[in-house]
Short mmCIF file of all heavy atoms in Angstrom, two decimals:
data_model
loop_
_atom_site.label_atom_id
_atom_site.label_comp_id
_atom_site.label_asym_id
_atom_site.label_seq_id
_atom_site.Cartn_x
_atom_site.Cartn_y
_atom_site.Cartn_z
N ALA A 18 115.71 66.25 150.88
CA ALA A 18 116.58 67.01 151.76
C ALA A 18 115.74 67.67 152.83
O ALA A 18 114.93 68.55 152.54
CB ALA A 18 117.33 68.10 150.96
N LEU A 46 113.72 78.94 150.89
CA LEU A 46 113.52 78.24 149.63
C LEU A 46 114.39 78.79 148.51
O LEU A 46 114.73 78.07 147.58
CB LEU A 46 112.04 78.32 149.21
CG LEU A 46 111.09 77.45 150.03
CD1 LEU A 46 109.65 77.93 149.84
CD2 LEU A 46 111.20 75.99 149.63
N LEU A 49 117.49 76.93 147.15
CA LEU A 49 117.30 75.67 146.44
C LEU A 49 117.47 75.82 144.93
O LEU A 49 117.69 74.84 144.22
CB LEU A 49 115.92 75.08 146.74
CG LEU A 49 115.63 74.62 148.16
CD1 LEU A 49 114.21 74.03 148.25
CD2 LEU A 49 116.65 73.61 148.64
N LEU A 51 115.32 76.66 142.50
CA LEU A 51 114.28 75.92 141.78
C LEU A 51 114.07 76.49 140.37
O LEU A 51 113.90 77.70 140.21
CB LEU A 51 112.97 75.97 142.55
CG LEU A 51 113.03 75.39 143.98
CD1 LEU A 51 111.72 75.67 144.71
CD2 LEU A 51 113.35 73.90 143.94
N VAL A 55 106.39 76.47 140.33
CA VAL A 55 105.00 76.83 140.54
C VAL A 55 104.69 76.53 142.00
O VAL A 55 105.15 75.52 142.55
CB VAL A 55 104.05 76.07 139.59
CG1 VAL A 55 104.21 74.57 139.73
CG2 VAL A 55 102.61 76.48 139.81
N LEU A 57 101.86 75.74 144.81
CA LEU A 57 100.51 75.28 145.06
C LEU A 57 100.27 75.28 146.55
O LEU A 57 100.96 74.58 147.30
CB LEU A 57 100.31 73.86 144.49
CG LEU A 57 100.51 73.72 142.98
CD1 LEU A 57 100.30 72.26 142.56
CD2 LEU A 57 99.59 74.65 142.19
N ARG A 157 108.18 70.62 135.86
CA ARG A 157 108.47 71.84 136.60
C ARG A 157 108.73 71.53 138.06
O ARG A 157 108.34 70.47 138.57
CB ARG A 157 107.29 72.80 136.53
CG ARG A 157 106.87 73.18 135.14
CD ARG A 157 105.69 74.12 135.13
NE ARG A 157 106.04 75.46 135.58
CZ ARG A 157 105.19 76.48 135.54
NH1 ARG A 157 103.95 76.30 135.13
NH2 ARG A 157 105.58 77.69 135.95
N ALA A 158 109.42 72.44 138.72
CA ALA A 158 109.56 72.35 140.18
C ALA A 158 108.27 72.81 140.83
O ALA A 158 107.78 73.91 140.53
CB ALA A 158 110.73 73.19 140.65
N VAL A 159 107.71 71.99 141.69
CA VAL A 159 106.43 72.31 142.34
C VAL A 159 106.69 72.42 143.83
O VAL A 159 107.25 71.51 144.45
CB VAL A 159 105.38 71.22 142.06
CG1 VAL A 159 104.08 71.57 142.79
CG2 VAL A 159 105.12 71.09 140.57
N VAL A 160 106.27 73.56 144.40
CA VAL A 160 106.37 73.79 145.83
C VAL A 160 104.97 73.73 146.43
O VAL A 160 104.12 74.57 146.12
CB VAL A 160 107.02 75.14 146.15
CG1 VAL A 160 107.21 75.31 147.66
CG2 VAL A 160 108.35 75.31 145.43
N ILE A 161 104.72 72.72 147.26
CA ILE A 161 103.44 72.61 147.94
C ILE A 161 103.60 73.24 149.33
O ILE A 161 104.52 72.91 150.08
CB ILE A 161 103.03 71.14 148.07
CG1 ILE A 161 102.73 70.56 146.68
CG2 ILE A 161 101.78 71.00 148.98
CD1 ILE A 161 102.36 69.11 146.67
N VAL A 162 102.71 74.18 149.63
CA VAL A 162 102.84 75.01 150.83
C VAL A 162 101.60 74.88 151.70
O VAL A 162 100.48 74.88 151.19
CB VAL A 162 103.05 76.49 150.45
CG1 VAL A 162 103.14 77.36 151.69
CG2 VAL A 162 104.30 76.66 149.60
N LEU A 176 100.85 65.59 147.88
CA LEU A 176 102.14 65.20 147.31
C LEU A 176 101.97 64.05 146.31
O LEU A 176 102.57 64.07 145.22
CB LEU A 176 103.11 64.80 148.42
CG LEU A 176 103.65 65.93 149.28
CD1 LEU A 176 104.28 65.38 150.56
CD2 LEU A 176 104.67 66.75 148.50
N VAL A 179 100.27 65.28 143.03
CA VAL A 179 101.17 66.05 142.17
C VAL A 179 102.27 65.16 141.61
O VAL A 179 102.66 65.29 140.45
CB VAL A 179 101.76 67.25 142.95
CG1 VAL A 179 102.82 67.96 142.13
CG2 VAL A 179 100.64 68.22 143.31
N ARG A 180 102.80 64.24 142.42
CA ARG A 180 103.84 63.35 141.94
C ARG A 180 103.42 62.60 140.69
O ARG A 180 104.20 62.41 139.76
CB ARG A 180 104.21 62.36 143.05
CG ARG A 180 105.23 61.32 142.66
CD ARG A 180 106.61 61.89 142.50
NE ARG A 180 107.22 62.19 143.79
CZ ARG A 180 108.44 62.71 143.92
NH1 ARG A 180 109.15 63.02 142.86
NH2 ARG A 180 108.91 62.96 145.11
N PRO A 184 106.24 66.14 138.03
CA PRO A 184 107.09 67.31 138.24
C PRO A 184 108.56 66.95 138.20
O PRO A 184 108.92 65.80 138.49
CB PRO A 184 106.67 67.79 139.63
CG PRO A 184 106.25 66.54 140.33
CD PRO A 184 105.58 65.70 139.27
N SER A 185 109.40 67.92 137.83
CA SER A 185 110.83 67.65 137.84
C SER A 185 111.39 67.62 139.26
O SER A 185 112.41 66.95 139.52
CB SER A 185 111.57 68.74 137.04
OG SER A 185 111.36 70.03 137.61
N ARG A 186 110.74 68.32 140.18
CA ARG A 186 111.17 68.37 141.56
C ARG A 186 109.95 68.70 142.42
O ARG A 186 109.17 69.58 142.05
CB ARG A 186 112.23 69.44 141.75
CG ARG A 186 112.98 69.44 143.08
CD ARG A 186 114.17 70.35 142.95
NE ARG A 186 114.94 70.48 144.19
CZ ARG A 186 116.02 71.24 144.31
NH1 ARG A 186 116.44 71.95 143.27
NH2 ARG A 186 116.67 71.30 145.45
N LEU A 187 109.78 68.00 143.50
CA LEU A 187 108.61 68.17 144.36
C LEU A 187 109.07 68.56 145.75
O LEU A 187 109.80 67.82 146.41
CB LEU A 187 107.81 66.87 144.40
CG LEU A 187 106.49 66.87 145.16
CD1 LEU A 187 105.55 67.95 144.63
CD2 LEU A 187 105.82 65.49 145.08
N VAL A 188 108.63 69.74 146.17
CA VAL A 188 109.07 70.32 147.45
C VAL A 188 107.84 70.51 148.34
O VAL A 188 106.82 71.05 147.90
CB VAL A 188 109.77 71.69 147.23
CG1 VAL A 188 110.24 72.26 148.56
CG2 VAL A 188 110.92 71.55 146.26
N LEU A 189 107.95 70.09 149.58
CA LEU A 189 106.93 70.40 150.59
C LEU A 189 107.54 71.44 151.52
O LEU A 189 108.62 71.19 152.10
CB LEU A 189 106.54 69.16 151.37
CG LEU A 189 105.51 69.38 152.51
CD1 LEU A 189 104.19 69.94 151.98
CD2 LEU A 189 105.28 68.08 153.27
N ALA A 190 106.87 72.58 151.67
CA ALA A 190 107.42 73.67 152.49
C ALA A 190 106.37 74.15 153.49
O ALA A 190 105.26 74.53 153.09
CB ALA A 190 107.85 74.84 151.59
N VAL A 191 106.72 74.13 154.76
CA VAL A 191 105.80 74.57 155.82
C VAL A 191 106.59 75.33 156.89
O VAL A 191 107.75 75.02 157.15
CB VAL A 191 105.06 73.40 156.47
CG1 VAL A 191 104.12 72.74 155.49
CG2 VAL A 191 106.02 72.37 157.05
N GLU A 205 108.04 61.26 150.79
CA GLU A 205 107.04 61.65 149.80
C GLU A 205 107.50 62.82 148.93
O GLU A 205 106.89 63.10 147.89
CB GLU A 205 105.73 62.04 150.50
CG GLU A 205 105.13 60.96 151.40
CD GLU A 205 104.39 59.89 150.62
OE1 GLU A 205 104.25 60.03 149.40
OE2 GLU A 205 103.94 58.92 151.26
N ALA A 206 108.53 63.55 149.33
CA ALA A 206 108.98 64.74 148.62
C ALA A 206 110.45 64.63 148.28
O ALA A 206 111.21 63.89 148.90
CB ALA A 206 108.73 65.99 149.47
N ASP A 207 110.87 65.38 147.25
CA ASP A 207 112.30 65.45 146.94
C ASP A 207 113.02 66.35 147.92
O ASP A 207 114.19 66.13 148.24
CB ASP A 207 112.49 65.97 145.52
CG ASP A 207 111.87 65.06 144.47
OD1 ASP A 207 112.02 63.83 144.59
OD2 ASP A 207 111.21 65.58 143.54
N ASP A 208 112.35 67.39 148.35
CA ASP A 208 112.89 68.30 149.36
C ASP A 208 111.77 68.62 150.34
O ASP A 208 110.63 68.86 149.95
CB ASP A 208 113.40 69.61 148.74
CG ASP A 208 114.51 69.38 147.75
OD1 ASP A 208 115.68 69.22 148.16
OD2 ASP A 208 114.20 69.35 146.54
N LEU A 209 112.12 68.66 151.63
CA LEU A 209 111.17 69.05 152.66
C LEU A 209 111.78 70.17 153.46
O LEU A 209 112.82 70.01 154.08
CB LEU A 209 110.85 67.84 153.55
CG LEU A 209 109.57 67.94 154.38
CD1 LEU A 209 109.10 66.54 154.78
CD2 LEU A 209 109.78 68.78 155.63
N VAL A 210 111.14 71.33 153.39
CA VAL A 210 111.64 72.53 154.07
C VAL A 210 110.68 72.89 155.19
O VAL A 210 109.50 73.20 154.93
CB VAL A 210 111.80 73.70 153.11
CG1 VAL A 210 112.29 74.94 153.86
CG2 VAL A 210 112.78 73.35 151.99
#
Side-chain angles (χ1 to χ4, degrees):
L46 287 162
L49 294 182
L51 301 173
V55 56
L57 299 180
R157 303 179 72 174
V159 179
V160 184
I161 295 178
V162 178
L176 288 164
V179 173
R180 176 71 75 180
S185 61
R186 192 168 178 180
L187 184 56
V188 182
L189 177 62
V191 294
E205 304 281 354
D207 298 318
D208 299 279
L209 198 159
V210 179

